Amino acid sequence: AVVPRRTLLQRAQGIDGPRRPIAANADLLVVVESLSNPAPRPTLIDRYLVAGRVGGLEPLIVLTKADQADTQSAAQLADLYRQLGFTVLVGNAKDADFVEQVRAAIGAGLQHAAELRQCPARVGQSGVGKSTLARLLTGVDRAVGEVSEQIGGRHTTSDPRLIPMLGGGAVVDTAGVRSLFLPALDA
C-alpha cells in the first residue's frame, strides 16, 4: 500500500538525473562517510544533513575506515560535526564492536518506534561501507565491491531495499551517489 509520507529524503534535479525520492517514512538518516579510500567529502555530508533536515529526518553521522585514516584528521572531522551538535560514530565497518555501536545508536532512535515503518536510511557516496554495514546489521548478504581508483567508489548497490535488522527494526540500504543536488531552499 502507499501510505502518507511523514518524512522524505529526496534528490533535486541535477547532472545525475531528475528529482526523485531516495527514501520515505524513515526517521533516522545515517550519513556514512569514509575517512580513507574514498577520501572524505564533508560537503556531501553537509548536503545530506540539509536534505535530511528539510525532509524531517534526524541525522547520525558514521565515519568508517578509521583504521586506514590519519588519526588527527579523523578526530578533527568528527569533532567538527560534534561541535555542531551531531552524533558522530568513528570506526571500521568490519569491526564487530563498531557495528554494535551503530546498532545501539540506531536502536536508541527506534526505542519509541511502535511500527516497523519507523527505520533508519543509510546514505553516502559509493565505496564508504554502507552495504558492509547493512550486511552486518541485517545478516542479509548484500553485494560489496572494491573501491575504484578512477572514480573513488563503485556503484555496487543499485537497488534501494528495506531490510529487516537482526534483533528487530529495519534499515534502508541505498545506492551510493557521486553528488546530491538540493531543492531550492529559503534562508
Side-chain angles (χ1 to χ4, degrees):
V2 176
V3 297
R5 289 181 174 164
R6 295 175 294 103
T7 64
L8 176 63
L9 179 67
Q10 67 178 332
R11 300 174 65 155
Q13 182 170 337
I15 59 172
D16 288 342
R19 183 181 73 156
R20 64 182 181 263
I22 297 172
N25 294 333
D27 293 304
L28 183 66
L29 181 64
V30 182
V31 182
V32 183
E33 184 61 77
S34 168
L35 292 166
S36 173
N37 193 26
R41 292 177 50 200
T43 57
L44 184 59
I45 297 172
D46 296 347
R47 287 174 175 267
Y48 271 120
L49 294 173
V50 170
R53 176 67 53 98
V54 168
L57 290 91
E58 190 69 31
L60 168 66
I61 301 170
V62 176
L63 302 176
T64 63
K65 303 186 182 181
D67 57 320
Q68 301 173 19
D70 172 66
T71 305
Q72 184 176 359
S73 297
Q76 287 174 340
L77 185 62
D79 287 346
L80 170 70
Y81 288 102
R82 286 181 181 130
Q83 290 171 8
L84 293 170
F86 296 103
T87 300
V88 181
L89 302 177
V90 181
N92 178 348
K94 295 178 181 179
D95 175 24
D97 290 338
F98 180 66
V99 173
E100 289 309 311
Q101 287 178 17
V102 173
R103 185 186 312 279
I106 290 172
L110 295 176
Q111 286 176 356
H112 67 282
E115 300 178 26
L116 183 62
R117 66 187 173 93
Q118 295 187 14
C119 66
R122 288 178 324 47
V123 296
Q125 65 177 314
S126 297
V128 298
K130 294 182 309 298
S131 291
T132 298
L133 272 174
R135 186 173 41 182
L136 295 170
L137 288 169
T138 66
V140 173
D141 194 19
R142 294 287 276 170
V144 294
E146 294 298 316
V147 175
S148 165
E149 295 301 321
Q150 183 178 14
I151 60 174
R154 185 176 307 274
H155 291 281
T156 305
T157 301
S158 59
D159 59 331
R161 294 271 172 100
L162 178 67
I163 306 170
M165 287 193 303
L166 299 170
V171 64
V172 178
D173 188 24
T174 67
V177 300
R178 289 187 187 98
S179 58
L180 177 70
F181 288 89
L182 296 172
L185 304 168
D186 60 24

